[in-house]
């Protein structure tokens, strides 16, 4: 008796069926090796949120999220019909961000992050794709294109950072990490979030969006999870530059979208990168975006998406067939290790385990030891650190409400809390019984006296009871924008290896910083606050 079942699964050949089953698994990709374990979260724009639903007639785009957030913040691209209607899109969280998780390794760097992506391509049976990356993760895309050129159809980089952090930014990031990770109260933590938001958001960001960004910071990078933040920070601050020869091996089309006046990502470094990409056919394209913000993929998403789609339409069409790789994972990774050994000038690199993404690490022994010691220093007493969340895991209050909260307290040197007079509400007080017995005063005078505001009374006066509400014109009005102080960062040279070493030695000596109420900046930032801008905001 013959089988008459004509379902799609029975019509597939055995290799195609295996590819379909692997591609349909979601949402994690496990990377397991003898010295490493990581689980990468990914999602797609298909109905089932996996690559098994890809349209083979559409090209594929791989997206890496901006720094300090996760792939959920790529929604301006995923929701744009210019992209989701014409392309298969897959987003990844790195092993240190978002829903991904891993076993900490001090050997992790941007080369390992590129190897993680290559492993994900292999396990998902993905075709070559257009790579879309933001900020520092743009250098992950560049490393992927140099080690695995067959996987990259093109590169689109948004707000490219310097090869290594500029000196001013390096010092500022170090102080911000300490202020953030060792915040002892809500005001200190919100102050750190405000510093971070100053160079990532528009100067007049909408309150709802600012609240959403800061809420993400509070829920994913709180002080009681500070090892998560320092793990990312060390990868960013300790990164090394790609050489001119390494950049010259990139031969796919490259587009760079750069904010014109962002102090963290100066245009001069993007222009230098364009000059170094000598192997790109026709040269790399630099498109300046009229903005001064870090998250241009969020706040300037419309123009970035338009430039990105116009760039892709000029490239040859590509399909997205999910096929079995022509070579095994070990063979593909070994070939990449050989290429990495040529970059490093070390023939021993190709002898490393090709099954492990950590084999692609170029972290020196000195840096590895420092990163491990720093992680242990920040891990100490982490579970007893301050939490900006309530018991249900939500932020205590909205970021936009912090200045409207009249009960905001100032902590003086005597460690007592005081409410500033400007924060006291303007209320009308009920006539006291004592005044009702005074017959020598007219009713008009008596009412005039009893309507005196508390803020005009003596400093030691206690507030009498009140019974009448505020007038409509006296009620606090909802904020229409969260005004952020402009960022003033002097343009400086990229940090050298010696300066990175000194910064690592300071980072190991982790500990709490001064309270935000007095705006005291200690450590290395004490040398730079003599300029006109107060505090670390000058450098952040």
């Amino acid at each position: 008796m013959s089988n008459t079942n004509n379902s799609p699964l029975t019509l597939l050949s055995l290799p195609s069926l295996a590819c379909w089953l692997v591609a349909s698994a979601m949402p994690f990709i496990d990377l397991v090796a003898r010295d490493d374990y990581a689980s990468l979260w990914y999602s797609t724009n298909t109905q089932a949120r996996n690559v098994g639903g890809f349209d083979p007639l559409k090209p594929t785009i791989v997206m890496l999220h901006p720094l300090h957030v996760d792939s959920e913040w790529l929604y301006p691209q995923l929701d744009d019909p210019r992209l989701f209607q014409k392309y298969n899109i897959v987003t990844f969280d790195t092993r240190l961000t978002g829903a991904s998780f891993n076993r900490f390794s001090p050997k992790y760097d941007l080369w390992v992050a590129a190897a993680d992506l290559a492993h994900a391509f292999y396990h998902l049976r993905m075709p070559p794709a257009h790579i879309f990356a933001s900020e520092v993760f743009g250098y992950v895309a560049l490393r992927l294109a140099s080690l695995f050129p067959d996987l990259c159809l093109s590169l689109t980089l948004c707000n490219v950072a310097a090869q290594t952090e500029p000196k001013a930014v390096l010092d500022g990031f170090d102080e911000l990490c300490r202020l953030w990770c060792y915040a002892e109260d809500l005001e200190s933590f919100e102050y750190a979030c405000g510093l971070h938001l100053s160079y990532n958001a528009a100067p007049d960001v909408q309150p709802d969006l600012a609240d959403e960004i800061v809420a993400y910071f509070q829920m994913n990078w709180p002080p009681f999870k500070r090892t998560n933040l320092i793990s990312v920070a060390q990868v960013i601050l300790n990164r090394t530059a790609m050489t001119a020869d390494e950049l010259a091996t990139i031969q796919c089309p490259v587009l760079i979208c750069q904010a014109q006046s962002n102090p963290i990502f100066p245009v001069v470094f993007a222009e230098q990168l364009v000059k170094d990409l000598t192997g790109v056919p026709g040269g790399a394209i630099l498109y300046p975006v009229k903005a001064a913000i870090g998250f241009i993929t969020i706040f300037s998403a419309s123009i970035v998406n338009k430039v990105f789609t116009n760039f892709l339409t000029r490239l040859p069409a590509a399909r997205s067939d999910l096929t079995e790789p022509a070579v095994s994972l070990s063979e593909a990774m070994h070939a990449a290790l050989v290429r990495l050994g040529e970059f490093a000038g070390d023939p021993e690199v190709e002898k490393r385990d090709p099954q492990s993404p950590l084999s692609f690490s170029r972290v020196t022994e000195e840096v590895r030891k420092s990163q491990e010691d720093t992680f242990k220093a920040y891990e100490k007493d982490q579970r007893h650190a301050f939490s900006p969340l309530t018991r249900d895991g939500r932020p205590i209050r909205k970021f936009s409400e912090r200045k409207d909260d009249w009960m905001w307290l100032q902590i003086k040197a005597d460690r007592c809390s005081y409410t500033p007079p400007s924060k006291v509400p303007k209320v009308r007080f009920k006539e006291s019984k004592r005044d009702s017995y005074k017959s020598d005063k007219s009713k008009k005078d008596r009412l005039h006296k009893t309507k005196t505001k508390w803020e005009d009374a003596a400093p030691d006066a206690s507030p009498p009871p009140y019974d009448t509400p505020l007038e409509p014109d006296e009620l606090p009005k909802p904020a229409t924008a969260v005004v952020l102080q402009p960022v003033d960062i002097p343009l400086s040279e990229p940090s050298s290896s010696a300066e990175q070493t000194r910064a690592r030695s300071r980072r190991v000596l982790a500990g709490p910083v001064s309270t935000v109420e007095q705006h005291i900046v200690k450590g290395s930032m004490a040398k730079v606050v003599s300029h006109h801008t107060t505090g670390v905001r000058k450098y952040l």
Side-chain angles (χ1 to χ4, degrees), residues 193-485:
C193 292
L195 291 177
H196 193 287
L197 206 62
S198 295
Y199 65 87
N200 277 326
D204 54 350
V205 58
Q206 293 297 319
D208 291 343
L209 187 53
D211 292 340
E212 191 175 354
I213 295 175
V214 174
Y216 176 86
F217 294 160
Q218 293 176 333
M219 297 174 68
N220 291 270
W221 312 106
F224 67 88
K225 293 182 180 179
R226 56 182 174 234
T227 51
N228 294 347
L229 180 60
I230 197 61
S231 297
V232 177
Q234 291 196 116
V235 174
I236 305 306
L237 300 179
N238 292 334
R239 70 179 185 270
T240 56
M242 296 181 67
T243 64
D245 293 338
E246 294 168 359
L247 292 172
T249 60
I250 300 174
Q251 300 181 353
C252 62
V254 177
L255 168 67
I256 300 176
C257 297
Q258 195 81 3
Q260 285 185 337
S261 55
N262 186 279
I264 305 297
F265 311 107
V267 180
V268 62
F269 297 119
E271 295 173 346
Q272 182 60 43
L273 180 61
V274 170
K275 297 178 182 178
D276 293 336
L277 294 172
T278 56
V280 175
I285 302 173
L286 175 60
Y287 185 89
V289 179
K290 294 182 179 180
I293 50 180
F295 290 150
I296 62 173
T297 57
I298 299 175
F299 293 95
S300 301
S302 180
I303 185 62
V304 170
N305 294 350
K306 179 181 178 181
V307 175
F308 181 41
T309 53
N310 291 341
F311 172 69
L312 294 181
T313 53
R314 296 197 297 264
L315 301 179
R319 292 178 58 89
S320 296
D321 298 301
L322 304 180
T323 59
E324 190 73 20
V327 297
S328 65
L329 176 64
S330 297
E331 293 174 337
M333 296 301 152
H334 178 74
L337 284 174
V338 172
R339 192 174 296 110
L340 182 65
E342 295 174 354
F343 292 162
D346 183 5
E348 296 296 323
V349 172
E350 63 181 87
K351 300 179 181 179
R352 298 176 182 175
D353 181 13
Q355 298 284 345
S356 174
L358 288 180
S359 298
F360 290 82
S361 174
R362 295 181 66 176
V363 173
T364 64
E365 180 60 25
E366 183 268 332
V367 175
R368 186 203 67 78
K369 182 66 166 56
S370 174
Q371 294 191 153
E372 185 175 19
D373 293 342
T374 302
F375 182 86
K376 293 179 180 179
Y378 276 75
E379 188 179 29
K380 184 179 180 181
D381 296 330
Q382 174 184 238
R383 299 178 63 181
H384 303 289
F386 169 73
S387 173
L389 308 176
T390 59
R391 290 186 177 182
D392 60 356
R394 297 184 180 184
I396 296 175
R397 66 181 176 190
K398 294 182 179 180
F399 181 71
S400 60
E401 295 175 348
R402 72 199 187 285
K403 293 183 179 179
D404 296 333
D405 185 2
W406 71 277
M407 289 301 292
W408 191 88
L409 303 177
Q410 291 183 347
I411 302 176
K412 301 299 183 180
D414 58 0
R415 294 194 174 274
C416 294
S417 300
Y418 299 90
T419 302
S422 60
K423 299 294 182 180
V424 178
K426 299 179 180 180
V427 297
R428 290 185 171 87
F429 300 114
K430 182 175 64 176
E431 179 183 358
S432 64
K433 294 182 179 180
R434 181 183 60 183
D435 290 337
S436 64
Y437 293 102
K438 294 182 179 179
S439 58
D440 57 338
K441 298 290 185 179
S442 64
K443 181 177 179 181
K444 181 178 179 180
D445 294 336
R446 187 166 64 250
L447 292 177
H448 174 74
K449 180 182 293 186
T450 55
K451 289 183 180 181
T452 302
K453 295 172 183 170
W454 180 29
E455 61 183 13
D456 296 330
D460 57 346
S462 300
Y466 61 92
D467 59 351
T468 57
L470 296 175
E471 296 295 335
D473 58 343
E474 296 178 340
L475 292 173
K477 298 179 180 180
T480 58
V482 176
V483 180
L484 303 174
Q485 184 174 340

Side-chain angles (χ1 to χ4, degrees), residues 104-123:
F104 170 74
S105 173
K107 298 171 61 178
Y108 182 76
D109 62 359
L110 298 182
W111 292 100
V112 177
D116 286 346
L117 276 182
H119 277 255
F121 267 85
Y122 182 90
H123 292 301

